Amino acid sequence: MVRVVKNGVYLVRGREILEDVPENRQKIAALGSPKEDAARGTMTHAILAAHQRGALAVGGGLSLSFDALASHDITFVNIIQTAKVSGLKSFPLPYYLTNCHNTLCAVGGTINEDDHLFGLSAARHYGGVYVPPHLAVIHSFIREEAAGCGKMILGSDSHTRYGALGTMGVGEGGGELVKQLLGQSYDLPYPRVILVYLKGKPRPGVGPQDAALALIGAVFKDGLVKNAALEFVGPGIAALPMDFRAGIDVMTTETTCWSSIWETDDTVREFLAIHGREGDYRRLAPESPAYYDGLIELDLSGVKPMIALPFHPSNVYTVDDLLENAEDILAGVEKNAAEVLENPRLSLKLRDKIEGKGRIRVDQGIIAGCAGGTFDKIMAAAALLSGRGAGGGLGPGAGAEAGPGAGAGGFSLAVYPGSQPVMLELARNGAAAELLARGVVLRSAFCGPCFGAGDVPAHNGLSIRHTTRNFPNREGSKPGNGQIASVALMDARSIAATALKGGFLTSAEGFEEEIHPYHYDEGPYRSRVYRGALKPDRGAPLIYGPNITDWPEMEALGENLLLKIVSFINDPVTTTDELIPSGETSSFRSNPLALAEFTLSRKDPAYVGRAKAVRQGNEALRAGGAPEKLPEWGVVLGALKTVDGFAGTGDLQLGSAIFAHKPGDGSAREQAASCQRVLGAAANFAYEYATKRYRSNLINWGILPFTVEGEAPFANGDYVFIPGIRKAVESAAAQIKAWVLPGEGAADGGVLPAALPQAPRPFSLKVPELNRGEREILLAGSLINHNRKKGA
């Protein structure tokens, strides 16, 4: 089904693959194209070269400008506020402001609608496009109205993926969008380019989520595609409708790749023509030969209906395997959950859902958002539920066990079309009526089920969803309150098959579906969307609600840095949902101080108090006093006086830091970093960072992204003294001498000794490799400070 090649490959005439191995040297030489020249033959290189500021060399640095920006309502307020204090006068490129995350989440009274009103006023004032709540989820709107062949779009959402339409979409934290708004470049090393070669044709009942989960399961764990560009090519593409391609493409984010691009054909042309934008089409294909840094070959005909069990999209099984081996597989999930949750009050009880051999009871189904809420997927679900498939459903006896109303009071199914034009077409062709008649709940365009702000299951509930993620608590439960639920990812087809069986998990394999024509009517957009791109009205005021607040002041990097480790996380991967929870906290994302109170609340509830104590200690040092909130300070100061490089507290900066093995998987939200910074964070320590976007968020908020090799030399509560850190960053030093000073860990029964039981321990700290712009931001203390300094 999936073949992975980790060495380089050449693609010849778009269909022949030559691995870069000794036995192929003669064939490769006959191509007459050196590797470096062939690397310029990828679609990725052509698009990057068209957006590069200056000449582009394979393996060199990128300094990119994008064609458009896109944000939703839990990110655009902070982005615009940051750009405003940095000197923004008008949006210099089309900027799409959608409202699809804080539409149904009502925490905080008027907060959400206040943010929406601010977005509309900003679109008028600076010249942007504003999409009101309930009209479209961010990525559906961009596919319908903005993506086109050869473009690049930067979005403040990690699932910014439009590769199937020939657009390289990149999801980043808000700081990178601010740079574009201020005319600055998006900088990164030239990415590795991985060929994804599709062949075969999906078997009946298999959908894009199945193919995507097979891909994620094959490549996530070994990091092959981390921060790489995925380039989709091959004869299998021709057999895929546009929604099917987009459904695979949007899930590439979960492989941890940087971006994606697909070869384009008449299917893409037809999609753009339907949406009134045929002029945005052009043929994209690799040149021959084209060189890639690796290969993923996916045989679509071998993909079966899949399921990703808690708590990651890479925890993949076939539905058949799960039903056959439910006891063993679910026991393993429960064991892993206990390790991830680290909460004796919580116990995931998935095996309670087993009701006999091959029978797993499910509580809820959701088809929603940029992954599941597209026209083809909803039509397939409607056809299956009504028995209108070309093959008559799932074969003999399909649905007989359940019968009409068998799910009464039990299993529920909700469908969220990704846009009002899709909803309008479903209403006109009768599919909406059929779904409603079957007891399906039809909702408006909303991303809530994807991040825990809509259709939260009951405690110990199991929800199957065609959405993008199933991280811990992503469904909205609150472990701190003793709640736990779980999400498994599946394709809309198998979710509908499960509904047909009254809530017993069922594969849709064998379901023969028809392709239904789609008629796009932009009437809902024409009536409601504010289209003011590049037409600023400086006389239109910005409208602020009481929750929208400015960023607090942030210090520049000090000469010498003393860090207290205030959270030590041993999980293999730490998601952005664990760093700053999603769901109900979203309403506070326009208020940095209020939101910061939730930092690490589901992973380490003591973090906020510890970080605040360090922040207050630094404020006391700046005022010439002593950090009274740190009872161990006297002992630590005594130890500091014995360390080379310590010259008193006058030029000493005190900050907090966290350690995690691999932080930052998942969302692009910058608040995973900015909340730490608001609380006084100055560094993260990690073995590696899960994504480029999280590392960029740290830098843009003035947080040093250190890496540690081997076992961490410190524990929670210890201090790390880094003398000369400012000079080290200025000079791009690769290593610097640092010292570990035992802090709270030196206490015996909570009582600190008069002196540390161990002398400060030196160790060699690896300073992260930083480009010039990144160093300048870190030295300034944040992107805001950096831009203010430039403006001055």
Side-chain angles (χ1 to χ4, degrees), residues 268-332:
V268 178
R269 184 198 297 273
E270 181 184 7
F271 177 92
L272 292 171
I274 287 171
H275 292 82
R277 298 190 296 112
E278 188 173 3
D280 285 338
Y281 175 79
R282 66 183 175 90
R283 176 82 171 107
L284 298 180
E287 297 178 5
S288 182
Y291 180 81
Y292 298 87
D293 298 291
L295 166 70
I296 304 164
E297 186 176 75
L298 177 59
D299 184 353
L300 295 166
S301 63
V303 176
K304 294 173 64 67
M306 311 292 287
I307 184 168
L309 293 172
F311 285 116
H312 200 275
S314 64
N315 192 18
V316 174
Y317 299 86
T318 67
V319 175
D320 289 346
D321 284 347
L322 175 60
L323 292 174
E324 181 67 26
N325 304 286
E327 183 73 28
D328 291 342
I329 291 173
L330 295 182

Side-chain angles (χ1 to χ4, degrees), residues 516-693:
H516 300 270
Y518 178 61
H519 307 94
Y520 179 68
D521 184 342
E522 68 167 355
Y525 296 157
R526 192 167 50 247
S527 300
R528 298 289 314 284
V529 172
Y530 176 78
R531 300 179 185 271
L534 307 181
K535 301 173 185 176
D537 178 1
R538 298 290 292 171
L542 292 173
I543 302 174
Y544 291 85
N547 183 62
I548 299 174
T549 60
D550 292 330
W551 292 102
E553 293 295 324
M554 298 173 198
E555 271 191 303
L557 181 63
E559 297 295 335
N560 305 300
L561 185 60
L562 180 64
L563 298 167
K564 183 176 181 180
I565 309 299
V566 293
S567 186
F568 198 99
I569 303 170
N570 279 311
D571 294 350
V573 178
T574 303
T575 69
T576 48
D577 287 295
E578 293 168 308
L579 292 165
I580 182 66
S582 55
E584 80 284 358
T585 65
S586 299
S587 293
F588 299 104
R589 289 188 184 164
S590 303
N591 187 327
L593 292 173
L595 181 64
E597 295 292 326
F598 295 92
T599 312
L600 279 169
S601 59
R602 293 177 182 169
K603 175 55 63 176
D604 185 357
Y607 166 81
V608 171
R610 292 172 182 158
K612 282 183 174 180
V614 177
R615 184 186 66 189
Q616 291 164 355
N618 187 59
E619 292 168 353
L621 287 180
R622 298 283 72 79
E628 296 178 359
K629 298 289 185 179
L630 302 173
E632 71 276 12
W633 178 250
V635 178
V636 171
L637 182 59
L640 267 177
K641 292 176 180 178
T642 69
V643 176
D644 291 340
F646 179 72
T649 59
D651 60 359
L652 182 68
Q653 185 175 54
L654 179 60
S656 60
I658 69 169
F659 170 82
H661 287 212
K662 188 178 180 181
D665 187 27
S667 172
R669 69 176 72 106
E670 63 181 307
Q671 292 93 346
S674 65
C675 284
Q676 294 178 52
R677 183 63 169 150
V678 165
L679 293 170
N684 275 195
F685 292 94
Y687 293 133
E688 64 174 307
Y689 293 94
T691 57
K692 183 264 179 193
R693 54 185 174 268

Side-chain angles (χ1 to χ4, degrees), residues 749-767:
V751 178
L752 281 161
L756 292 181
Q758 299 175 355
R761 304 188 304 272
F763 72 102
S764 181
L765 179 62
K766 185 177 180 182
V767 180

